[in-house]
Amino acid sequence: MLAAADSLTVDLLSTDTIGDPARRRCLLGRFPLIDLKREPQLFVGGDGFSDDNNNGVAFPAVPFGGAVFGPQPFAAPDRSLLFTGNFFQAVVPFLTGGLLSNFTGLLNPVIPAMDAVDQETAAAQRVADAYAIPFLGIRGMSDGPGDPLNLPGFPFTFVVYKQIAADNAAIVTEAFLRNWDGA
């Protein structure tokens, strides 16, 4: 899988919308509002790792939290305004075990400088490893150094750049699947 990914040549987007154009009611999805002012790059491999900074505590899906924090996609055919996801089961353990440990880590940082931070891929890899399934994570970075709009950091950079990151990750995923001889 890594060899197939390493041989990819892709043209990534440098301009995109803020919102998802597939959502009919999303006005921000109709206009190219983001211009990175540089050519995005594909990096394969590395010496990093993925980890869970919430100590295994589930993040609570926030009712009406939208595409980022919500428990149910807006386009779900069975969407219900009463659906709360795991909010009531996860909010107290998250606040006591996850969020407090994150604040403690901010006050006493011991993490070396890094190019990217990722938690979600770690969970997917743990499941793949548990079932001995080959795994390759493909990520689009939505925030970090070099922000052309000079936004004040996360979560602002995430909200503005998540669509271009998702679209570029989809471009890489499609190219990988066309190039890979596996499964």
Side-chain angles (χ1 to χ4, degrees):
M1 292 173 94
L2 193 56
D6 198 31
S7 67
L8 293 179
T9 302
V10 294
D11 291 321
L12 298 174
L13 302 175
S14 62
T15 61
D16 205 349
T17 61
I18 290 177
D20 183 355
R23 290 188 49 212
R24 285 182 236 119
R25 288 176 263 158
C26 181
L27 296 176
L28 296 176
R30 297 184 183 165
F31 306 103
L33 300 173
I34 299 300
D35 184 353
L36 298 177
K37 299 179 180 17
R38 65 178 181 274
E39 199 63 37
Q41 298 177 4
L42 171 64
F43 293 95
V44 177
D47 59 359
F49 64 93
S50 186
D51 195 12
D52 173 14
N53 67 342
N54 286 326
N55 300 314
V57 177
F59 183 86
V62 179
F64 308 109
V68 177
F69 300 113
Q72 191 177 37
F74 287 116
D78 59 346
R79 180 164 168 76
S80 167
L81 295 177
L82 302 175
F83 186 68
T84 59
N86 71 335
F87 182 78
F88 294 107
Q89 295 88 3
V91 69
V92 172
F94 172 74
L95 290 174
T96 58
L99 190 62
L100 292 178
S101 68
N102 286 338
F103 281 131
T104 305
L106 287 174
L107 297 175
N108 187 17
V110 294
I111 300 172
M114 60 195 77
D115 293 323
V117 174
D118 165 52
Q119 295 86 40
E120 297 85 358
T121 307
Q125 183 173 3
R126 284 186 190 133
V127 172
D129 289 349
Y131 290 94
I133 297 171
F135 178 83
L136 176 76
I138 296 175
R139 299 301 308 248
M141 290 178 60
S142 59
D143 47 349
D147 172 17
L149 297 177
N150 295 314
L151 297 171
F154 182 84
F156 304 101
T157 51
F158 174 75
V159 171
V160 171
Y161 297 116
K162 69 181 166 78
Q163 190 62 47
I164 194 168
D167 290 345
N168 280 332
I171 289 168
V172 172
T173 301
E174 182 179 13
F176 169 77
L177 290 173
R178 288 176 191 228
N179 193 42
W180 184 45
D181 292 331

